[in-house]
Amino acid sequence: MAAAIGVGLPIDEPVGNMIVDIGGGTTEVAVISLAGVVNPESLRVGGDEMDQCIMRFLKNEYNLLIGENTSEQVKFQVGSAVELEGNPTMRIRGRDVPTGMPREVEITNHEVVAALRDPVQAIVNCCKSVLERTQPELAADLLERGLTMAGGASLLRGLPEVMARETGLPVRVADDPLICVAQGCAALLDDLDSVKQILDVERD
């Protein structure tokens, strides 16, 4: 709910709005209407799991150990949800597993796409699950209004396109995806009547 408010969705209107918040540890998906959360689903997959997948790939394929900071750099510099034209590459430094000595390897975009395939598909499947349980009237609204992505991992290149292709909905990424939840919480604190309305809806 905080993410939806932070991105500016009209949460109190009698129409369906879908929010997909891909944070570090979890992905939160829900349809929101009349200040209520409809069919929410939480998945313990997010940006951190993507980083771990890259780390495991490099260990398994290259016998190279890297840290989380390096993995995150790989994710955003040459990573994507779909293969990029030209197959960009990046040189990575880490520790060689057999020798314990520093070593450098070159990783390609196509390799990172393969490494991220499971978490990306898990997020897509979570969104599909919410849509499958959404009332027909609200689902019809989403064909026009689409879904909005928030959270740091929503910035992964190609992810909005994958979401649009798999769900059949228009997809947009929030203007400030990293701080949407904080902005939503701040807005709620400035309007405590809205908080009461949301809590009343949740109790009902």
Side-chain angles (χ1 to χ4, degrees):
M1 182 66 76
I5 294 170
V7 302
L9 294 179
I11 64 166
D12 55 349
E13 293 183 4
V15 294
N17 299 279
M18 188 170 183
I19 183 75
V20 180
D21 181 19
I22 312 174
T26 61
T27 294
E28 309 284 344
V29 183
V31 174
I32 295 174
S33 180
L34 290 172
V37 178
V38 182
N39 298 328
E41 190 157 326
S42 180
L43 177 71
R44 294 187 64 82
V45 172
D48 294 344
E49 176 63 22
M50 293 181 185
D51 295 341
Q52 291 296 322
C53 285
I54 294 173
M55 294 169 68
R56 286 195 294 268
F57 175 84
L58 284 164
K59 181 180 179 181
N60 294 336
E61 295 296 320
Y62 291 99
N63 277 326
L64 189 75
L65 296 178
I66 63 170
E68 293 180 358
N69 290 339
T70 301
S71 182
E72 188 171 30
Q73 291 175 12
V74 172
K75 179 175 64 181
F76 287 116
Q77 289 189 32
V78 293
S80 59
V82 293
E83 294 184 352
L84 300 178
E85 185 177 352
N87 194 21
T89 64
M90 177 181 178
R91 298 201 68 81
I92 307 164
R93 295 173 181 172
R95 190 175 80 237
D96 185 72
V97 174
T99 67
M101 295 293 103
R103 185 160 67 92
E104 184 179 74
V105 302
E106 185 174 70
I107 190 170
T108 70
N109 164 256
H110 294 179
E111 289 176 314
V112 181
V113 170
L116 296 177
R117 186 164 291 126
D118 286 348
V120 167
Q121 191 59 52
I123 292 169
V124 169
N125 290 343
C126 183
C127 293
K128 285 183 173 181
S129 175
V130 170
L131 288 170
E132 288 167 358
R133 294 182 287 111
T134 298
Q135 295 89 328
E137 293 81 4
L138 296 179
D141 292 335
L142 298 177
L143 283 173
E144 178 182 352
R145 306 179 73 86
L147 66 85
T148 301
M149 297 176 61
S154 67
L155 295 172
L156 179 70
R157 283 179 293 183
L159 186 54
E161 289 78 8
V162 170
M163 296 286 285
R165 183 183 70 230
E166 294 289 331
T167 64
L169 300 178
V171 175
R172 77 176 181 97
V173 178
D175 293 334
D176 296 304
L178 290 167
I179 59 173
C180 289
V181 173
Q183 289 176 326
C185 290
L188 285 171
L189 289 174
D190 288 337
D191 186 4
L192 294 180
D193 288 339
S194 294
V195 176
K196 184 178 182 301
Q197 179 186 8
I198 291 169
L199 291 176
D200 288 342
V201 170
E202 292 298 321
R203 280 194 292 267
D204 293 340

